[in-house]
Amino acid sequence: MARMPTGAKVFLILVGALLPLALIALLTTLQTTRIADTEARARLHAIADESSGVVENALTNHVGQMSQTLAALEQNPGDAPSCTQLAGTFAAQGSVRFAIADRGGRVLCGQRFSLPGAPVLRPSELRATFLPDGIAIRIGGNAGMSATAYYPVSALAALARPSGFVPDYGAALVRHEQRLALRDLATAGPLGRSEKVLSNLSIDNLDLEMSIPGAPITSPLIITTALLVLMWIAAATIGWSVVNILLIRPLRTLRTSVGNYTPGEILDMKRFGAIPAQEIRDLGETFQQITRTVQLHEADLAAGLIRQTKLTREVHHRVKNNLQVISSLINFHARAARSAEASEAYASIQRRVDALAVVHRHHYTELEENRGLELRSVIGELAANIRATAPEQAAGLGITLEIEPLLVNQDVAIAVAFLITELVELAVSCNPTTHVRISIKGGEEPDRAILRVSSSALVESAELEGLLESRYGRVIAGLARQLRTPLHHDPLVGAYEASIAITGRP
């Protein structure tokens, strides 16, 4: 529910709120149908009791008289009065036929007819047999005699017909899975229903089934039920439409405009058109006032940024000038030095000031974009300055650069420049004509690069160890700490290697 749109939530809430009213109306309709079913069921029981009573009395009377006549003919096969009395009883039934036969099948009384596959019955055994067009009731007698009555469907239907005016009904004789339809109930279509009642006839488990149509599911009932559902959905839809038009749609438009808002512009309420809800209009005017305030603040910040940029440029310009003044003073004092050692000391200081000046100049150049300093250009200029300020005995100094285009911040650039200056000067101190190789390549991690300075003069030796302990070792270790990385020395190859942080690639 928390992730659903507000419109869907409102629609579901309205559907749930109106559902009890729809259920009440639906239950009222169903109750009316149930009352009609109860009345129909009461009428069915009345006609079933009447019809089953008539059929049971007729069949029981016939069975009793056939039993008496069968007993008389067993005593005297020529007893004509008993046969005549039985014939009179069946004569009132019209199409009903009867026969009393001896063991050999000779008819002693009644009409000759045969039952297919009729078994021999035990004395006094009563059995009803279902036939395609009626039912036969047989009674077993002594010495293989039997009495049989055949009731066609028309005769049974006449017996089962209720008296008086009754609605359409159906009647059938049933026993377990066997069934003989006496009157078919007219079908009422796919939605028609019927009520059924079984009444026992006390003859060989025969039952009389009576059925009448149930309360029909008529088209008015279907239309009423459909209208209830449609009214329920329509009420929820109308409520949702009102909420959507008055609240949700204006809020969605306002949210889109606020989401597309760019700092510095003013939110224009006129482009929203007519907003029907006063509360949303007030909210939009509040946002409009906020955008005016933001615009004023943006203007103040822009003016302040311009002033700050001018001050920063002025500071960098003065620092650059100061570094140039320092470099000129060092150069002036170096020319006035009285010994080679002093001149070399001034040259060493000059190289470090030049390293700082190179980094600062490139940082000042990148100030507008603030992407970082490109190491290739910084170290290229630094190497040129080192060769230019090298002592006379180091005229054969060679520096090879293999640097990928990488960007670093100012702190890393200063530390790298000082570290390279110290390592190159260390190599020159060991061998003035040495060759130094400087490489910086991207590492396995995307934000790290590998700095490597190698030279044959940096191979382990007593002179190298002495210079490291007396002068260069502590400075190099301090610069490595500033880079927050360990500095590895391979004494066999003569290489120093460290992992430095980068900000990206140009």
Side-chain angles (χ1 to χ4, degrees):
M1 283 291 288
R3 297 183 178 180
M4 291 180 62
T6 304
K9 293 180 182 178
V10 171
F11 181 76
L12 292 179
I13 291 172
L14 291 174
V15 167
L18 295 174
L19 180 61
L21 298 178
L23 290 178
I24 291 173
L26 182 62
L27 290 176
T28 302
T29 304
L30 294 178
Q31 183 64 23
T32 303
T33 305
R34 191 177 296 110
I35 292 173
D37 287 342
T38 303
E39 294 176 354
R41 199 174 295 112
R43 291 195 302 271
L44 176 60
H45 279 283
I47 65 175
D49 292 342
E50 178 186 356
S51 298
S52 62
V54 172
V55 174
E56 184 178 4
N57 290 336
L59 295 181
T60 303
N61 185 34
H62 292 171
V63 169
Q65 291 195 24
M66 283 195 303
S67 298
Q68 293 176 4
T69 303
L70 178 60
L73 292 177
E74 286 177 346
Q75 298 294 329
N76 181 11
D79 190 349
S82 298
C83 182
T84 301
Q85 184 179 3
L86 182 60
T89 301
F90 279 100
Q93 302 300 325
S95 59
V96 178
R97 293 179 292 172
F98 73 95
I100 298 178
D102 59 10
R103 184 182 185 87
R106 183 170 61 89
V107 177
L108 302 179
C109 180
Q111 302 171 330
R112 177 181 295 277
F113 60 91
S114 61
L115 297 177
V120 178
L121 302 180
R122 298 187 301 273
S124 302
E125 183 180 359
L126 177 65
R127 180 173 297 183
T129 303
F130 283 82
L131 301 175
D133 54 353
I135 191 170
I137 298 178
R138 299 180 64 213
I139 303 173
N142 297 321
M145 294 182 66
S146 63
T148 305
Y150 170 70
Y151 298 86
V153 171
S154 58
L156 293 172
L159 289 174
R161 179 176 178 79
S163 61
F165 176 78
V166 295
D168 189 21
Y169 70 96
L173 287 177
V174 297
R175 181 178 62 191
H176 305 304
E177 301 298 328
Q178 294 176 309
R179 179 184 178 87
L180 177 64
L182 306 181
R183 177 186 171 92
D184 292 327
L185 181 64
T187 58
L191 299 178
R193 300 181 301 122
S194 62
E195 299 287 344
K196 297 180 180 180
V197 171
L198 290 177
S199 301
N200 188 264
L201 300 180
S202 303
I203 296 177
D204 195 18
N205 296 323
L206 285 179
D207 293 319
L208 177 64
E209 178 187 272
M210 299 294 293
S211 59
I212 63 172
I217 302 177
T218 59
S219 55
L221 179 61
I222 296 175
I223 293 174
T224 302
T225 305
L227 284 177
L228 289 174
V229 177
L230 290 177
M231 289 174 63
W232 170 44
I233 297 176
T237 304
I238 292 172
W240 170 81
S241 300
V242 172
V243 174
N244 187 61
I245 294 172
L246 293 180
L247 297 177
I248 298 176
R249 189 179 300 171
L251 283 174
R252 188 180 295 117
T253 304
L254 183 60
R255 182 198 64 183
T256 302
S257 299
V258 173
N260 296 332
Y261 167 74
T262 302
E265 67 178 13
I266 297 178
L267 192 65
D268 187 9
M269 293 296 298
K270 294 181 180 179
R271 63 185 177 185
F272 296 156
I275 298 178
Q278 179 63 38
E279 292 79 2
I280 298 179
R281 287 200 298 270
D282 294 341
L283 180 61
E285 292 174 358
T286 302
F287 277 120
Q288 188 177 33
Q289 185 61 38
I290 291 174
T291 55
R292 289 196 184 98
T293 305
V294 171
Q295 187 184 46
L296 295 176
H297 288 179
E298 286 286 330
D300 293 341
L301 290 175
L305 180 60
I306 293 174
R307 291 192 300 270
Q308 187 65 32
T309 302
K310 290 180 179 179
L311 291 176
T312 303
R313 288 176 177 174
E314 181 65 23
V315 169
H316 279 280
H317 183 69
R318 294 191 179 189
V319 170
K320 182 178 68 173
N321 292 340
N322 291 336
L323 289 174
Q324 290 177 351
V325 170
I326 293 172
S327 179
S328 299
L329 289 175
I330 294 174
N331 191 25
F332 177 77
H333 287 285
R335 286 197 298 270
R338 298 181 180 181
S339 63
E341 289 81 2
S343 298
E344 179 58 28
Y346 280 121
S348 178
I349 297 173
Q350 179 73 45
R351 284 191 288 273
R352 286 155 180 78
V353 173
D354 288 343
L356 182 60
V358 167
V359 174
H360 184 78
R361 185 166 54 255
H362 281 273
H363 177 69
Y364 178 74
T365 303
E366 297 290 335
L367 184 62
E368 295 295 332
E369 297 183 5
N370 196 22
R371 296 180 300 121
L373 281 74
E374 187 176 357
L375 280 178
R376 175 183 288 179
S377 58
V378 172
I379 297 177
E381 186 175 348
L382 177 64
N385 289 341
I386 292 175
R387 283 196 296 268
T389 59
E392 295 180 359
Q393 62 269 24
L397 173 65
I399 299 178
T400 303
L401 302 180
E402 187 179 352
I403 302 172
E404 294 183 358
L406 300 172
L407 299 176
V408 297
N409 59 37
Q410 184 183 15
D411 294 336
V412 173
I414 292 174
V416 168
F418 281 148
L419 181 61
I420 292 175
T421 302
E422 295 292 334
L423 292 175
V424 172
E425 189 167 322
L426 174 62
V428 172
S429 298
C430 294
N431 183 2
T433 61
T434 187
H435 184 85
V436 180
R437 182 182 183 85
I438 303 173
S439 67
I440 301 179
K441 299 180 179 180
E444 297 180 356
E445 301 178 9
D447 59 344
R448 307 293 292 183
I450 303 301
L451 167 64
R452 181 181 177 88
V453 179
S454 59
S455 173
S456 59
L458 298 178
V459 175
E460 185 177 13
S461 63
E463 184 179 3
L464 177 67
E465 292 295 331
L467 289 172
L468 287 173
E469 290 186 8
S470 62
R471 179 178 177 183
Y472 294 96
R474 184 178 298 177
V475 176
I476 292 174
L479 292 172
R481 285 195 299 270
Q482 186 175 348
L483 289 171
R484 295 182 176 85
T485 183
L487 182 64
H488 302 284
H489 178 219
D490 189 345
L492 299 179
V493 178
Y496 280 90
E497 187 174 288
S499 174
I500 61 174
I502 62 175
T503 58
R505 294 177 180 268

